[in-house]
Amino acid sequence: MKMTQTWRWYGPNDPVSLSDVRQAGATGIVNALHHIPNGAIWSIAEIQKRKDEIEKAGLTWDVVESLPVHEKIKTRTADFEQLIENYKVSMKNLVDCGVYVICYNFMPILDWTRTRLDMVLEDGSFALEFNASELRVFDLFILKRVGAEKDYTAEQISLAKKQFDNLPPEDIQRISDNMLKGLPGSEEGYSMEEFKAMLDTYRGIDADKLRLHLVKFLSEIIPVAEALGIRMCIHPDDPPFTLLGLPRVVSTMQDYEYIFDQVPPLSNGITFCTGSLGVRADNDLPAIFNAFADRVHFLHLRSTKRDAEGNFHEADHLTGDVDMHEIITCIIKEQRRRVAENREDASIPMRPDHGHQMLDDLAKPKINPGYSAIGRLRGLAELRGLEWGINRLI
Ligand code: DNO
């Protein structure tokens, strides 16, 4: 039993074509209808149209990433009840078209976050980077978030001030754009003013409250997923800690324990993202995987490298802080367990996540950072080989 190899494709405007994906050896597509505004229903017609396009290329639409959870559902304000109803209709429409695995996240306002998209590695390829001191500069002196200074030490603040005073305008622009405009696949992008207004909507929402809102949302949608045979899989916070004063509640083993204690059905599942969870040194990845293995419905496989200052960047898929050998061994064992139980979902869909920008992709006029073709092709090839080798050995 092998993992199902999938590839995130951003739709007809993606510079990586479906035929490229086939040549990379993936069989499944991970896709979302990015043109539909957040909160609106995904109609059967729109879903079917995309599905036909994918199937015409000889691929299958295996996973939705993401069916976005509207901010008003996270804050439980205004017409959030209607938005949850819309979400359920989209779930039903996806099933009517034969798509059963749905990835989503519950990160307030921001999705995944990096400060630099072209960190030059030793070999000349580019990686995505999260620089903790640049984040502090942004928070304190660019965004000028009210109360931000409470989150940092006096020394961090004075260092950030010095760094800000010497920062060229283009770096200020780069950091702001990366923080606010949304990275590939992010659900929203904001101007500085819009972002400040959004921050206000989270006043009074701490981690406990957000957790409660997540559980209330799940209590509504998981019964629908159960009835329809959908596997919902929540993506962890990336990075897995509080940012800009915003709570994040899907970052650790304890977070998962709470979520699954409250809403136990297996259709309440996980997108196990090794790169996101691996940023925290106190996250024991194999332990988290094994604790919830039967509800891992989707895998994002990549590695990150962190340093003592709280910075991290994307490593090669088989190096960095993630022990990919150990993780794939756990995955193989779980898949075999599912085979023995006759589970239909014994082969777990995986995708290589966040490749480096390298080779010809360095010269291409348009790439999606983290989602260029060749870096992910390399990642997929390495992961596939590792899985093949372990499968033969154990
Ligand atoms: C980043 C992605 C995330 C992910 C969402 C899932 O590369 O892993 O944007 O798609 O958080 O909802």
Side-chain angles (χ1 to χ4, degrees):
M1 175 58 56
K2 292 202 197 105
M3 297 184 280
T4 301
Q5 295 171 26
T6 70
W7 186 278
R8 189 176 201 178
W9 181 64
Y10 284 111
N13 297 328
D14 193 325
V16 182
S17 69
L18 288 173
S19 130
D20 295 340
V21 177
R22 280 203 70 180
Q23 290 175 37
T27 57
I29 287 294
V30 173
N31 186 253
L33 301 181
H34 295 285
H35 59 285
I36 298 183
N38 272 2
I41 291 173
W42 290 16
S43 70
I44 292 187
E46 287 291 325
I47 298 168
Q48 193 60 49
K49 186 167 153 225
R50 180 61 55 83
K51 190 168 182 251
D52 290 345
E53 195 177 349
I54 292 169
E55 288 177 356
K56 223 168 84 199
L59 295 153
T60 51
W61 184 354
D62 289 354
V63 180
V64 172
E65 179 176 352
S66 307
L67 183 58
V69 179
H70 197 281
E71 283 301 316
K72 285 181 179 153
I73 297 179
K74 296 177 203 160
T75 53
R76 289 184 84 79
T77 47
D79 48 351
F80 75 92
E81 282 120 335
Q82 182 58 50
L83 289 162
I84 295 180
E85 289 313 307
N86 290 359
Y87 202 92
K88 292 181 192 165
V89 177
S90 297
M91 288 166 68
K92 165 95 176 43
N93 290 349
L94 282 162
V95 163
D96 283 349
C97 298
V99 185
Y100 287 90
V101 183
I102 302 180
C103 167
Y104 66 100
N105 73 79
F106 215 75
M107 289 177 251
I109 313 179
L110 297 170
D111 190 333
W112 62 302
T113 309
R114 300 289 183 274
T115 51
R116 185 188 284 279
L117 309 179
D118 57 356
M119 173 187 183
V120 184
L121 297 175
E122 248 177 9
D123 62 7
S125 59
F126 291 178
L128 312 173
E129 184 202 15
F130 179 91
N131 183 294
S133 65
E134 287 189 344
L135 181 94
R136 288 192 285 269
V137 168
F138 174 77
D139 196 7
L140 290 159
F141 303 109
I142 304 175
L143 176 65
K144 302 191 188 88
R145 177 171 63 89
V146 181
E149 57 295 335
K150 285 199 290 270
D151 292 351
Y152 307 112
T153 64
E155 197 195 344
Q156 286 175 329
I157 295 173
S158 95
L159 280 175
K161 177 78 175 75
K162 249 187 239 148
Q163 192 177 347
F164 175 67
D165 289 341
N166 293 308
L167 211 57
E170 56 275 19
D171 279 335
I172 296 185
Q173 191 67 44
R174 162 182 58 84
I175 299 169
S176 307
D177 286 354
N178 291 340
M179 292 300 300
L180 301 180
K181 292 214 168 140
L183 302 178
S186 292
E187 291 153 10
E188 303 281 358
Y190 304 94
S191 69
M192 189 66 81
E193 286 323 302
E194 285 166 347
F195 187 71
K196 285 185 176 164
M198 284 304 294
L199 279 179
D200 280 343
T201 65
Y202 277 85
R203 225 172 254 163
I205 303 187
D206 59 6
D208 283 345
K209 195 147 187 198
L210 185 68
R211 224 183 281 285
L212 201 67
H213 291 183
L214 170 58
V215 164
K216 285 187 169 166
F217 170 65
L218 290 172
S219 314
E220 291 224 38
I221 60 148
I222 292 302
V224 177
E226 281 286 288
L228 293 171
I230 292 179
R231 301 193 281 283
M232 295 298 298
C233 33
I234 194 163
H235 189 283
D237 306 320
D238 179 6
F241 43 74
T242 300
L243 274 190
L244 309 175
L246 292 165
R248 291 194 150 190
V249 295
V250 192
S251 298
T252 63
M253 173 84 102
Q254 290 73 24
D255 289 341
Y256 285 124
E257 276 166 357
Y258 177 81
I259 295 166
F260 302 127
D261 271 357
Q262 297 293 311
V263 187
L266 279 195
S267 55
N268 186 17
I270 294 182
T271 295
F272 192 78
C273 177
T274 51
S276 302
L277 293 168
V279 160
R280 282 178 78 124
D282 59 347
N283 272 346
D284 177 343
L285 268 56
I288 297 178
F289 182 90
N290 289 331
F292 308 109
D294 54 349
R295 60 177 81 236
V296 171
H297 300 315
F298 184 29
L299 300 156
H300 284 183
L301 299 182
R302 69 179 162 92
S303 184
T304 41
K305 182 78 201 151
R306 56 184 124 76
D307 68 18
E309 272 79 57
N311 311 315
F312 67 87
H313 65 269
E314 313 278 347
D316 286 323
H317 285 74
L318 302 191
T319 61
D321 295 314
V322 173
D323 183 347
M324 201 58 84
H325 184 277
E326 180 63 25
I327 292 295
I328 294 193
T329 304
C330 295
I331 295 168
I332 288 173
K333 289 184 179 158
E334 169 59 13
Q335 294 192 140
R336 290 183 186 171
R337 207 187 54 78
R338 290 185 190 186
V339 171
E341 281 185 0
N342 274 325
R343 264 173 70 160
E344 272 175 23
D345 60 348
S347 169
I348 307 175
M350 67 75 99
R351 68 173 180 82
D353 205 2
H354 301 184
H356 292 153
Q357 192 179 341
M358 57 167 61
L359 308 183
D360 289 5
D361 281 341
L362 288 167
K364 284 188 188 150
K366 184 178 178 286
I367 57 116
N368 284 314
Y371 289 91
S372 49
I374 301 169
R376 283 187 294 161
L377 173 75
R378 174 179 167 172
L380 179 58
E382 292 180 347
L383 293 163
R384 176 194 292 142
L386 181 57
E387 182 192 26
W388 187 86
I390 299 173
N391 245 326
R392 292 282 291 256
L393 278 174
I394 63 169

